[in-house]
Amino acid sequence: MSAPNKSYDPVEVEALKPEEIERMRDEAFAAFAAAGDLDALAQAKTAHTGGTSPLSLANREIGALPPQAKAEAGKRVGQARGAVSKALAARQAELEAERDARVLVEEAVDVTLPYDRTPAGARHPLTTIMERVADVFVAMGYEVAEGPEVEAEWFNFDALNFVPDHPARQTQDTFFVQGTTPDGKPTTGDESGIVLRTHTSPVQARTLLDREPPVYVVCPGRVYRTDELDATHTPVFHQIELLAVDEGLTMADLKGTLDHMVQALFGPEMKTRLRPNFFPFTEPSAEMDMVCYVCRGTSVGNPDRPCRTCGSEGWIELGGCGMVNPKVLIACGVDPQKYSGFAFGFGIERMLMFRHNVEDMRDMVEGDVRFTRPFGMEI
Ligand SMILES: [Zn+2]
């Protein structure tokens, strides 16, 4: 057995000297006190209580001491570490309380402030009217049909019985995307150019070619004509078109359908009238008018109560209609001996103008929310 190693003096282990331990402890206290927020405190915590902190390193030195020196050094280091973790917990609690107080102030909500500072827009009234009209017909069992806006000339004109030299085919009315044959010659009745559709009626021909009667469809959509944009014209506008083809349909069915539509849109007292007209794709054809929904006809012959909406005529022109021309049925492969049909269509812009006294068409296309917002979600 060897004698105690008298030459080893634990006091000589630098890291375990009482003043060294005190210095380490005080440095930790100072670092915690200096930490201004929880992030800084977390850094100080790692530096002064982590595995490589001075006190942890000193703690490891204890194992190397002779037994008689271990207890004292262990007590000293243990007390210092205890004091450090107590100081850390206290500073942690202090900083958390400060943070909570700050969050309460910074994230406070003033419930008296106006709640809606971002103005909400609104759907465009043209969209809303189109959907509303389509809904009336969907409720009667019609389907919504759509077609391309860049359309074959054949669908836009020929299938609808427009003769080859019809004025509507000329470039002062129609946008031609491709008006010539591949070898550069002007198209004739046998060859089809490409146009921006001038009405929604080509959807009629497409629908009839696509399916067997009975056919009941409503076709809302955008159409194009070479008009300058001014108060009453726009080169891009909207139509809604209706087509019914079935056995035994007559003008009386057309009239009943029109009456139902205006009553659904304008009120139960409304009615329509038909005036003879001509369209290539219907025979017979008619202009349809509805009773002025503002004055209900009371302005007629009554100069004391003039009506701006109908010009004191008592009726408002709504659009065109008629029985589908048998030539159109034949062009679309439908037997006119067995089936008959009716169609009508009208412009949505025009309906918006007389219904809401919109006087300038440019307001509808300029995209100013001050125009659309008053219409809100419902018109
Ligand atoms: Zn009127």
Side-chain angles (χ1 to χ4, degrees):
M1 219 176 132
S2 63
N5 181 3
K6 298 232 191 249
S7 68
Y8 181 77
D9 180 359
V11 179
E12 291 303 314
V13 177
E14 191 69 19
L16 292 173
K17 284 182 182 169
E19 60 271 25
E20 270 304 299
I21 300 295
E22 273 173 33
R23 186 186 59 76
M24 293 172 191
R25 185 196 62 194
D26 292 344
E27 275 179 6
F29 288 171
F32 297 159
D37 57 34
L38 288 165
D39 286 342
L41 186 63
Q43 284 179 8
K45 179 184 175 185
T46 310
H48 293 280
T49 66
T52 56
S53 64
L55 277 171
S56 296
L57 295 175
N59 196 45
R60 281 186 219 161
E61 300 282 341
I62 297 171
L65 294 178
Q68 69 273 27
K70 271 187 185 170
E72 201 196 331
K75 192 177 166 194
R76 210 157 46 227
V77 173
Q79 277 176 348
R81 295 179 86 194
V84 165
S85 57
K86 215 167 151 187
L88 174 67
R91 184 65 182 146
Q92 176 93 18
E94 217 170 271
L95 288 174
E96 280 176 0
E98 267 176 33
R99 180 202 56 194
D100 292 349
R102 193 174 61 244
V103 164
L104 277 180
V105 173
E106 284 175 0
E107 297 183 9
V109 174
D110 183 352
V111 293
T112 64
L113 288 174
Y115 68 92
D116 187 8
R117 286 186 170 272
T118 311
R123 303 181 76 204
H124 199 282
L126 290 174
T127 309
T128 320
I129 285 199
M130 269 204 295
E131 285 183 5
R132 222 176 141 186
V133 175
D135 280 351
V136 171
F137 291 107
V138 168
M140 285 195 276
Y142 284 72
E143 287 174 60
V144 175
E146 289 178 336
E149 291 173 22
V150 180
E151 184 57 284
E153 191 182 353
W154 189 86
F155 278 110
N156 197 76
F157 293 122
D158 300 80
L160 301 170
N161 199 36
F162 283 81
V163 289
D165 57 352
H166 192 282
R169 291 191 190 231
Q170 291 172 6
T171 48
Q172 66 258 36
D173 282 321
T174 303
F175 285 113
F176 277 84
V177 176
Q178 186 186 315
T180 55
T181 61
D183 31 338
K185 294 178 191 148
T187 50
T188 66
D190 298 332
E191 295 141 342
S192 182
I194 308 286
V195 300
L196 293 183
R197 68 179 178 190
T198 60
H199 47 185
T200 41
S201 306
V203 185
Q204 289 188 18
R206 286 184 173 273
T207 307
L208 288 175
L209 282 170
D210 201 40
R211 59 178 95 179
E212 295 291 314
V215 165
Y216 291 89
V217 291
V218 58
C219 328
R222 197 178 290 143
V223 300
Y224 303 83
R225 295 198 193 158
T226 55
D227 288 322
E228 294 284 335
L229 180 64
D230 62 25
T232 53
H233 297 86
T234 159
V236 185
F237 55 102
H238 299 77
Q239 284 188 338
I240 194 157
E241 176 106 4
L242 178 124
L243 172 71
V245 175
D246 204 344
E247 289 182 47
L249 290 182
T250 68
M251 242 13 216
D253 297 303
L254 168 62
K255 181 73 165 64
T257 307
L258 291 174
D259 282 345
H260 175 80
M261 178 187 76
V262 295
Q263 284 163 11
L265 291 173
F266 293 93
E269 306 294 315
M270 302 306 294
K271 56 182 182 179
T272 60
R273 73 175 182 188
L274 302 180
R275 285 178 293 116
N277 201 336
F278 171 79
F279 304 111
F281 39 98
T282 44
E283 181 59 39
S285 304
E287 287 289 346
M288 54 171 167
D289 298 341
M290 60 178 259
V291 171
C292 172
Y293 74 99
V294 174
C295 67
R296 310 269 162 146
T298 55
S299 65
V300 182
N302 191 353
D304 299 337
R305 294 185 56 197
C307 176
R308 277 178 65 198
T309 304
C310 64
S312 299
E313 289 182 1
W315 294 89
I316 298 170
E317 188 182 318
L318 200 55
C321 64
M323 300 305 290
V324 179
N325 193 316
K327 288 180 181 170
V328 173
L329 294 178
I330 291 168
C332 298
V334 175
D335 179 4
Q337 300 296 321
K338 188 174 177 194
Y339 293 105
S340 58
F342 61 79
F344 68 83
F346 57 86
I348 301 295
E349 276 80 357
R350 196 179 138 61
M351 183 180 257
L352 186 65
M353 286 178 98
F354 71 67
R355 200 173 164 176
H356 295 283
N357 289 324
V358 178
E359 287 177 352
D360 195 325
M361 264 195 171
R362 287 168 290 198
D363 290 338
M364 299 181 200
V365 298
E366 281 173 350
D368 189 332
V369 289
R370 288 172 297 181
F371 172 73
T372 50
R373 203 181 295 132
F375 292 100
M377 295 300 290
E378 182 52 48
I379 53 175

